Amino acid sequence: MKHVILGNGPAGVIAAETLRKRSPDDEIVMIGCEDAPPYSRMAIPYLLMGNIQESGTYLRKEPDYFEKLKIQQIRGKAVSLDPKAKKLALEGGGGQIEYDKLLIATGSVPVRPPIPGIELPGVHFCWTLEDARSITKLAKPGSRVLQMGAGFIGCIILEALASRKVELTVVEMGDRMVPRMMTPVAGGMIKKWVEQKGVQVYTETKVEGIAQTSNGLSVKLSNGKSLEVDLVISATGVKPNIEYLNSSGLALEVGVLVDDCMRTSHSDIYAAGDVTESIDFSTGHRIVNAIQPNAVEQARIAAINMSGGQTQSLGALQINILDTLGLISTSFGLWSGAKGGDYVEDIDLDRYKYLRLEFLGDVLVGATCVGNTEHIGVLRGLIQGKVALGKWKKTLLEEPTKATEAYLAQGQAQSTWMN
């Protein structure tokens, strides 16, 4: 049996390791398109901070790690897929790769906003090691940097840039920071926090154009301001990397459609990670859940099924944990609320403490937390366990910080019922 894994990020690596453990004699080929060993994009900010070297981003540290596991590595970029012939074509005369089972784990690519001047030198994404190398050369202490986007990825990049002691301005189209993972109160709290740390933030603002000048770049904003900067970072979001699959015949929407076994519309092709559009745990609807824990869990499930086992996903749970210049924020599940549900908020703006719980009936379905980490595991457990709170819901509506007590009480009750 020949297994081909397209993509060598966290999902690809976990899939390859799982396949080798389950199928010692099968052929495994893992394909990556960058000039580096398999690495984690989530480690790039730490590279920019100077906390690690490039080797610190590598997913496995031993140079001959994959060779010892007899996992063949190929450098190449897929340009097309023929499921009927079971062949994958690589760019630039790289040939065709045949497979018996294929895993698509090509992740995400940055969204390129339609802004005049976006192609100019001095405008960079922050997505690959090559991007990080370019940014490191330009983001020196005192450099004037404008970052487009204050979403999840944008806030991680923001922290790395701030650590380099640049003069940083952040522009966000939404009405708050991290608008796709934080409530208005929480997003506003994060904005106030970073501004107090010396970062200028403009929300409800777009970049309308970028022009080259003798002194760097001139950036025109929708709020009427024009800024002179040395570097522009585009962090306006990512999307599943599926363009090369458009003529494959696979079922595609925003991402590659998969079932709860991570199988695509073709029985011998699976997909895992950011490239997939899978079933959401909370709603039962399809979602692109582009977080690393989800990617590696999907990869494990895919590899088990590719190697003859049988296992299923319980659904992708939205989990966001963010550290923005020392302020921890988290959101879980239906953090923006459920139709027909109710909620409670506990707000302390002066101390940067915030907790919001979302209920549907007597079940906690979502939560947002800023300023502490003590409730994170409990909130996730209540949501993922779909724990019936009973009388504890009334307690939480009155004192939402008693989530731990509710979890312990109802968790013990459920254990008793099950036994």
Side-chain angles (χ1 to χ4, degrees):
M1 179 77 74
K2 181 177 181 180
H3 302 279
V4 173
I5 301 169
L6 184 56
N8 65 348
V13 167
I14 291 295
E17 291 171 338
T18 304
L19 284 168
R20 176 53 70 226
K21 184 176 181 180
R22 292 178 54 82
S23 305
D25 300 321
D26 284 1
E27 182 179 358
I28 302 173
V29 178
M30 185 168 62
I31 304 172
C33 64
E34 295 187 44
D35 64 340
Y39 71 91
S40 170
R41 299 197 193 283
M42 298 308 294
I44 288 177
Y46 302 102
L47 175 63
L48 290 174
M49 291 176 190
N51 294 343
I52 59 174
Q53 301 297 316
E54 279 199 19
S55 59
T57 69
Y58 298 166
L59 290 166
R60 302 295 179 263
K61 309 306 182 187
E62 299 174 43
D64 58 350
Y65 177 82
F66 295 102
E67 183 179 344
K68 286 180 178 178
L69 289 178
K70 296 183 180 179
I71 296 170
Q72 182 185 358
Q73 295 189 80
I74 294 177
R75 184 178 174 188
K77 183 177 181 181
V79 291
S80 66
L81 170 65
D82 185 345
K84 291 182 179 180
K86 291 193 172 183
K87 290 182 179 179
L88 184 71
L90 301 182
E91 185 179 59
Q96 292 190 328
I97 306 294
E98 296 183 348
Y99 63 85
D100 294 308
K101 302 284 186 181
L102 173 68
L103 175 68
I104 298 170
T106 46
S108 300
V109 292
V111 172
R112 185 178 295 274
I115 297 171
I118 194 71
E119 305 287 348
L120 286 172
V123 181
H124 294 275
F125 297 103
C126 187
W127 193 242
T128 66
L129 283 178
E130 183 58 37
D131 293 333
R133 295 169 194 145
S134 299
I135 291 169
T136 299
K137 294 176 183 177
L138 295 170
K140 304 294 185 182
S143 297
R144 303 162 300 172
V145 180
L146 181 137
Q147 178 179 301
M148 296 187 293
F152 181 78
I153 294 170
C155 282
I156 295 173
I157 298 169
L158 177 158
E159 176 142 16
L161 293 172
S163 74
R164 300 183 69 84
K165 301 187 184 305
V166 303
E167 295 180 11
L168 180 59
T169 300
V170 176
V171 176
E172 166 58 45
M173 291 174 57
D175 64 352
R176 60 192 184 274
M177 294 187 70
V178 237
R180 286 172 291 281
M181 68 169 269
M182 286 287 139
T183 65
V185 173
M189 194 176 286
I190 295 170
K191 178 185 176 184
K192 182 181 176 183
W193 175 270
V194 300
E195 287 179 329
Q196 289 190 345
K197 299 291 185 179
V199 179
Q200 177 67 64
V201 180
Y202 295 114
T203 52
E204 297 184 282
T205 303
K206 299 179 182 179
V207 171
E208 295 186 333
I210 306 169
Q212 193 84 53
T213 69
S214 59
N215 194 32
L217 296 168
S218 177
V219 182
K220 182 181 178 183
L221 305 182
S222 62
N223 62 9
K225 295 181 180 293
S226 290
L227 304 179
E228 297 292 325
V229 301
D230 303 300
L231 170 65
V232 174
I233 304 292
S234 180
T236 55
V238 296
K239 62 182 180 179
N241 181 16
I242 61 171
E243 286 190 12
Y244 66 96
L245 297 172
N246 285 339
S247 61
S248 67
L250 290 181
L252 309 172
E253 289 186 15
V254 177
V256 180
L257 302 188
V258 293
D259 62 16
D260 54 9
C261 295
M262 298 301 112
R263 189 180 292 109
T264 70
S265 57
H266 193 283
S267 60
D268 292 321
I269 301 176
Y270 294 73
D274 297 9
V275 76
T276 66
E277 195 169 350
S278 57
I279 302 301
D280 180 76
F281 172 84
S282 300
T283 65
H285 302 147
R286 291 196 175 275
I287 185 176
V288 175
N289 192 13
I291 58 172
Q292 188 165 311
N294 180 65
V296 298
E297 175 62 10
Q298 288 187 342
R300 184 190 67 83
I301 290 169
I304 290 172
N305 291 316
M306 290 169 70
S307 55
Q310 290 186 337
T311 190
Q312 297 177 331
S313 169
L314 296 177
L317 177 65
Q318 294 190 63
I319 305 172
N320 301 291
I321 303 175
L322 185 63
D323 182 346
T324 311
L325 300 180
L327 183 65
I328 306 296
S329 57
T330 63
S331 61
F332 298 93
L334 296 176
W335 59 268
S336 60
K339 186 177 181 181
D342 50 349
Y343 70 90
V344 60
E345 285 183 309
D346 185 45
I347 305 171
D348 188 339
L349 296 177
D350 293 335
R351 296 176 60 229
Y352 290 96
K353 300 285 187 181
Y354 175 75
L355 179 62
R356 175 165 169 149
L357 305 180
E358 302 285 351
F359 302 93
L360 186 60
D362 72 341
V363 174
L364 184 70
V365 294
T368 305
C369 181
V370 178
N372 62 61
T373 58
E374 61 193 70
H375 303 295
I376 290 177
V378 165
L379 295 175
R380 177 178 177 178
L382 287 171
I383 294 167
Q384 203 158 22
K386 297 184 177 180
V387 175
L389 292 166
K391 65 181 182 181
W392 277 96
K393 179 186 176 181
K394 181 180 178 182
T395 301
L396 291 178
L397 286 172
E398 294 172 351
E399 296 184 68
T401 57
K402 289 196 170 182
T404 298
E405 290 92 327
Y407 178 77
L408 293 173
Q410 294 307 94
Q412 180 63 43
Q414 283 203 348
S415 176
T416 301
W417 298 334
M418 290 175 67
N419 292 331

